[in-house]
Amino acid sequence: MADESSLKRPDMILVADYKERFIWFEGGNLLTSSLAAGIVSILNKLNKLSNESIFFYISGIGGDVLAFLKIANAIEKMKSPVIFVAFNLVRSGCFTITQCGKTCFAVAGTKLIFHRAVHSWSGDIYMSQKDYLSCLRNLMLIDAVQFMIFSKRGSPIKTLLGLFEKETTLSVEKAIGLNLVAGVYEKKDFYKHKRIAKKLIQKKYKITV
């Protein structure tokens, strides 16, 4: 009988198929720098194998902004165009990174959520005015970087800014209207790669999905 822990689905899932040329990422927890390094390694390998398109299926709640910038930087240097496909829910950095490839599609029903930078605290925190202002500047800088990325494609800018500031949840149709998503992704293509990803997940994580 399988151990109960072996059947538990991990919070973070990352698999890739080098023949079909896709990455499958599910971020149930915050993306870290080490996991981003793993994604960059896969992207670089796919890029070396061929200059054909790479499909990056992504769902997740966000994570370390520097981790996402590491991925964006790698994509920028690649010859292979990266096509993002958002599914289920993309929030914060997982939404922002979809704007860094050649284009972005979304599966019908996907929620796309803007999320401004936050700083987490633990325990009793005492902060000087200097430290407070430094933290505030960092948060404002991260928001500025995020919005700059969204505004590369998104429009109208004034509407986009208002939605970003309110941390709005977008439907796929709304995101298409804002030019953040190119269109609804074909279900047959999505489920074809999902079936392959399911087998890869079962093999890598020793779980039943």
Side-chain angles (χ1 to χ4, degrees):
M1 183 176 179
D3 183 80
E4 185 179 350
S5 62
S6 68
L7 302 177
K8 184 180 178 183
R9 190 179 182 87
D11 289 332
M12 308 295 279
I13 286 176
L14 175 63
V15 293
D17 188 292
Y18 294 99
K19 182 179 178 181
E20 292 289 329
R21 295 185 62 76
F22 76 80
I23 296 171
W24 188 279
F25 174 72
E26 297 179 33
N29 209 332
L30 298 178
L31 180 77
T32 61
S33 183
S34 60
L35 189 55
I39 292 173
V40 170
S41 178
I42 294 170
L43 285 167
N44 286 336
K45 182 174 180 179
L46 285 164
N47 188 53
K48 288 180 181 178
L49 289 172
S50 166
N51 291 340
E52 294 179 12
S53 297
I54 299 167
F55 287 84
F56 194 141
Y57 294 89
I58 184 168
S59 165
I61 61 173
D64 179 5
V65 64
L66 294 180
F68 284 106
L69 290 177
K70 182 185 294 185
I71 297 169
N73 183 257
I75 291 171
E76 185 72 24
K77 296 176 181 177
M78 291 168 52
K79 291 183 179 180
S80 299
V82 176
I83 299 170
F84 280 94
V85 180
F87 66 98
N88 292 346
L89 176 150
V90 285
R91 172 183 174 270
S92 192
C94 287
F95 183 13
T96 309
I97 195 66
T98 65
Q99 305 302 298
C100 296
K102 179 182 179 181
T103 191
C104 171
F105 291 92
V107 176
T110 300
K111 294 180 179 180
L112 305 99
I113 306 172
F114 291 115
H115 185 248
R116 299 179 68 180
V118 297
H119 186 92
S120 60
W121 308 100
S122 59
D124 295 325
I125 301 297
Y126 298 92
M127 182 180 291
S128 68
Q129 185 183 73
K130 181 181 177 181
D131 290 339
Y132 172 81
L133 292 174
S134 176
C135 180
L136 179 61
R137 281 194 297 270
N138 287 338
L139 293 176
M140 292 174 69
L141 177 60
I142 293 169
D143 277 352
V145 170
Q146 281 198 89
F147 186 72
M148 181 191 71
I149 292 171
F150 282 118
S151 65
K152 284 168 60 179
R153 277 192 207 123
S155 65
I157 297 298
K158 187 175 181 180
T159 301
L160 198 65
L161 179 59
L163 295 170
F164 176 76
E165 289 179 335
K166 293 176 182 177
E167 299 186 312
T168 307
T169 297
L170 304 179
S171 65
V172 175
E173 292 74 20
K174 181 67 173 178
I176 291 172
L178 293 166
N179 298 318
L180 298 173
V181 168
V184 178
Y185 195 64
E186 289 285 347
K187 282 188 175 181
K188 62 180 179 63
D189 294 328
F190 177 72
Y191 285 110
K192 173 190 174 183
H193 283 164
K194 185 176 182 180
R195 285 191 294 270
I196 298 171
K198 182 178 179 180
K199 293 179 181 179
L200 293 169
I201 292 167
Q202 288 174 327
K203 183 177 180 180
K204 180 176 180 179
Y205 298 100
K206 306 295 189 294
I207 59 171
T208 303
V209 293

Coordinates of all heavy atoms in Angstrom, one line a residue, residues 39-77:
I39 N 13.4 26.6 -13.6 CA 12.7 27.0 -14.8 C 13.6 27.6 -15.9 O 13.5 27.2 -17.0 CB 11.6 28.1 -14.4 CG1 10.5 27.4 -13.6 CG2 11.0 28.7 -15.7 CD1 9.5 28.4 -13.0
V40 N 14.5 28.4 -15.4 CA 15.5 29.0 -16.4 C 16.4 27.9 -17.0 O 16.6 27.9 -18.2 CB 16.4 30.0 -15.7 CG1 17.6 30.4 -16.6 CG2 15.6 31.2 -15.3
S41 N 16.7 26.9 -16.2 CA 17.5 25.8 -16.8 C 16.7 25.0 -17.9 O 17.3 24.7 -18.9 CB 17.9 24.8 -15.6 OG 18.6 23.7 -16.1
I42 N 15.5 24.8 -17.6 CA 14.6 24.1 -18.6 C 14.5 25.0 -19.9 O 14.6 24.5 -21.0 CB 13.2 23.8 -18.0 CG1 13.3 22.8 -16.9 CG2 12.3 23.3 -19.1 CD1 12.1 22.6 -16.1
L43 N 14.2 26.2 -19.7 CA 14.1 27.2 -20.8 C 15.4 27.1 -21.7 O 15.3 27.1 -22.9 CB 13.8 28.6 -20.3 CG 12.4 28.9 -19.8 CD1 12.4 30.2 -19.1 CD2 11.4 28.9 -21.0
N44 N 16.5 27.2 -21.0 CA 17.8 27.2 -21.7 C 18.0 25.9 -22.5 O 18.5 25.9 -23.6 CB 18.9 27.5 -20.8 CG 19.0 28.9 -20.3 OD1 18.5 29.8 -21.0 ND2 19.6 29.2 -19.2
K45 N 17.6 24.8 -21.9 CA 17.8 23.5 -22.6 C 16.9 23.4 -23.8 O 17.3 23.0 -24.9 CB 17.5 22.4 -21.6 CG 17.7 21.0 -22.2 CD 17.5 19.9 -21.2 CE 17.7 18.5 -21.9 NZ 17.5 17.4 -20.9
L46 N 15.7 23.9 -23.7 CA 14.7 23.9 -24.8 C 15.2 24.8 -25.9 O 15.1 24.5 -27.1 CB 13.3 24.3 -24.3 CG 12.5 23.3 -23.6 CD1 11.4 23.9 -22.8 CD2 12.0 22.2 -24.5
N47 N 15.8 25.9 -25.5 CA 16.3 26.9 -26.5 C 17.5 26.3 -27.2 O 17.7 26.6 -28.4 CB 16.7 28.2 -25.7 CG 17.1 29.3 -26.7 OD1 16.3 29.6 -27.6 ND2 18.3 29.9 -26.5
K48 N 18.3 25.5 -26.6 CA 19.5 24.9 -27.2 C 19.1 23.8 -28.2 O 19.7 23.6 -29.2 CB 20.5 24.4 -26.2 CG 21.2 25.4 -25.4 CD 22.2 24.8 -24.4 CE 22.9 25.9 -23.6 NZ 23.8 25.3 -22.5
L49 N 18.0 23.1 -27.9 CA 17.5 22.0 -28.7 C 17.0 22.5 -30.0 O 17.1 21.8 -31.1 CB 16.5 21.2 -27.9 CG 17.0 20.3 -26.8 CD1 15.8 19.7 -26.0 CD2 17.9 19.2 -27.3
S50 N 16.3 23.6 -30.0 CA 15.6 24.1 -31.2 C 15.2 25.6 -31.0 O 15.1 26.0 -29.9 CB 14.4 23.3 -31.5 OG 13.6 23.9 -32.5
N51 N 15.0 26.3 -32.1 CA 14.5 27.7 -32.0 C 13.0 27.8 -32.2 O 12.4 28.8 -32.3 CB 15.2 28.5 -33.1 CG 16.7 28.8 -32.8 OD1 17.1 28.6 -31.7 ND2 17.4 29.1 -33.9
E52 N 12.4 26.6 -32.2 CA 10.9 26.6 -32.3 C 10.3 27.1 -31.0 O 10.9 27.2 -29.9 CB 10.4 25.1 -32.6 CG 10.9 24.6 -34.0 CD 10.4 23.2 -34.2 OE1 9.5 22.7 -33.4 OE2 10.9 22.6 -35.2
S53 N 9.0 27.4 -31.1 CA 8.3 27.9 -29.9 C 8.2 27.0 -28.7 O 8.2 25.8 -28.8 CB 6.8 28.3 -30.3 OG 6.8 29.2 -31.3
I54 N 8.3 27.6 -27.5 CA 8.1 26.9 -26.3 C 6.8 27.4 -25.7 O 6.5 28.6 -25.5 CB 9.3 27.3 -25.3 CG1 10.6 26.9 -25.9 CG2 9.0 26.7 -23.9 CD1 11.8 27.5 -25.1
F55 N 6.0 26.4 -25.3 CA 4.7 26.7 -24.6 C 4.9 26.6 -23.1 O 5.4 25.6 -22.6 CB 3.6 25.8 -25.1 CG 3.2 26.1 -26.5 CD1 3.9 25.6 -27.6 CD2 2.1 26.9 -26.7 CE1 3.5 25.9 -28.9 CE2 1.7 27.2 -28.0 CZ 2.4 26.7 -29.1
F56 N 4.6 27.7 -22.4 CA 4.8 27.7 -21.0 C 3.4 27.8 -20.3 O 2.7 28.9 -20.3 CB 5.6 29.0 -20.6 CG 6.2 29.0 -19.2 CD1 7.4 29.5 -19.0 CD2 5.4 28.6 -18.1 CE1 8.0 29.5 -17.7 CE2 5.9 28.6 -16.8 CZ 7.2 29.1 -16.6
Y57 N 2.9 26.7 -19.8 CA 1.6 26.6 -19.1 C 1.8 27.0 -17.7 O 2.7 26.5 -17.0 CB 1.0 25.2 -19.2 CG 0.7 24.8 -20.6 CD1 1.6 24.1 -21.4 CD2 -0.6 25.0 -21.1 CE1 1.3 23.7 -22.7 CE2 -0.9 24.6 -22.4 CZ 0.0 24.0 -23.2 OH -0.3 23.6 -24.5
I58 N 1.0 28.0 -17.2 CA 1.3 28.5 -15.9 C 0.0 28.8 -15.1 O -1.0 29.3 -15.6 CB 2.1 29.8 -16.0 CG1 2.5 30.4 -14.6 CG2 1.4 30.9 -16.8 CD1 3.6 31.5 -14.6
S59 N 0.1 28.4 -13.8 CA -1.0 28.7 -12.9 C -0.3 28.9 -11.5 O 0.6 28.2 -11.2 CB -1.9 27.5 -12.8 OG -2.8 27.6 -11.7
G60 N -0.7 30.0 -10.8 CA 0.0 30.2 -9.5 C -0.4 31.5 -8.9 O -1.0 32.4 -9.5
I61 N 0.1 31.6 -7.6 CA -0.3 32.8 -6.8 C 0.8 33.9 -6.7 O 0.5 34.9 -6.2 CB -0.6 32.3 -5.4 CG1 0.6 31.7 -4.7 CG2 -1.9 31.4 -5.4 CD1 0.3 31.4 -3.2
G62 N 2.0 33.6 -7.3 CA 3.0 34.6 -7.3 C 4.3 34.2 -6.6 O 4.5 33.0 -6.5
G63 N 5.0 35.1 -6.0 CA 6.2 34.8 -5.3 C 7.2 35.9 -5.3 O 6.9 37.1 -5.5
D64 N 8.5 35.6 -5.2 CA 9.6 36.5 -5.1 C 9.8 37.3 -6.4 O 10.0 36.7 -7.5 CB 10.9 35.7 -4.8 CG 12.1 36.6 -4.7 OD1 12.0 37.9 -4.8 OD2 13.2 36.1 -4.5
V65 N 9.7 38.6 -6.4 CA 9.8 39.4 -7.6 C 11.1 39.2 -8.4 O 11.1 39.1 -9.6 CB 9.5 40.9 -7.3 CG1 10.6 41.5 -6.5 CG2 9.4 41.7 -8.6
L66 N 12.2 39.0 -7.6 CA 13.5 38.8 -8.2 C 13.5 37.5 -9.0 O 14.2 37.3 -10.0 CB 14.6 38.9 -7.2 CG 14.8 40.3 -6.6 CD1 15.9 40.2 -5.5 CD2 15.1 41.3 -7.6
A67 N 12.8 36.5 -8.4 CA 12.7 35.2 -9.1 C 12.0 35.3 -10.5 O 12.5 34.7 -11.5 CB 12.0 34.2 -8.2
F68 N 11.0 36.1 -10.5 CA 10.3 36.2 -11.8 C 11.1 37.1 -12.8 O 11.1 36.8 -14.0 CB 8.9 36.9 -11.5 CG 7.9 36.0 -11.0 CD1 7.5 36.0 -9.7 CD2 7.3 35.0 -11.8 CE1 6.5 35.2 -9.1 CE2 6.3 34.1 -11.3 CZ 6.0 34.2 -10.0
L69 N 11.8 38.0 -12.3 CA 12.7 38.8 -13.1 C 13.8 38.0 -13.7 O 14.3 38.2 -14.8 CB 13.2 40.0 -12.4 CG 12.2 41.1 -12.0 CD1 12.9 42.2 -11.2 CD2 11.6 41.7 -13.3
K70 N 14.3 37.0 -12.9 CA 15.3 36.1 -13.4 C 14.8 35.3 -14.6 O 15.5 35.1 -15.6 CB 15.7 35.1 -12.3 CG 16.8 34.1 -12.7 CD 17.0 33.1 -11.5 CE 17.6 33.8 -10.3 NZ 17.9 32.8 -9.3
I71 N 13.5 34.9 -14.5 CA 12.9 34.2 -15.7 C 12.7 35.1 -16.8 O 13.0 34.7 -18.0 CB 11.5 33.6 -15.2 CG1 11.7 32.5 -14.1 CG2 10.8 32.9 -16.4 CD1 10.4 32.1 -13.4
A72 N 12.2 36.3 -16.6 CA 12.0 37.3 -17.7 C 13.3 37.6 -18.4 O 13.3 37.7 -19.6 CB 11.4 38.5 -17.1
N73 N 14.4 37.7 -17.6 CA 15.7 38.0 -18.2 C 16.1 36.9 -19.1 O 16.7 37.1 -20.2 CB 16.7 38.3 -17.1 CG 18.0 38.7 -17.6 OD1 19.0 37.8 -17.6 ND2 18.2 39.9 -18.1
A74 N 15.9 35.6 -18.7 CA 16.3 34.5 -19.5 C 15.5 34.4 -20.8 O 16.1 34.2 -21.9 CB 16.1 33.2 -18.7
I75 N 14.2 34.7 -20.7 CA 13.3 34.7 -21.9 C 13.8 35.8 -22.9 O 13.8 35.5 -24.1 CB 11.9 34.9 -21.5 CG1 11.3 33.7 -20.7 CG2 11.0 35.2 -22.7 CD1 10.0 33.9 -20.1
E76 N 14.2 36.9 -22.4 CA 14.6 38.0 -23.2 C 15.8 37.7 -24.1 O 16.0 38.1 -25.2 CB 14.9 39.2 -22.4 CG 15.3 40.5 -23.1 CD 14.1 41.2 -23.8 OE1 13.0 40.9 -23.4 OE2 14.3 41.9 -24.8
K77 N 16.7 36.8 -23.6 CA 17.9 36.4 -24.3 C 17.8 35.2 -25.2 O 18.7 34.9 -25.9 CB 19.0 36.1 -23.2 CG 19.4 37.3 -22.4 CD 20.4 36.9 -21.3 CE 20.8 38.0 -20.4 NZ 21.7 37.6 -19.3

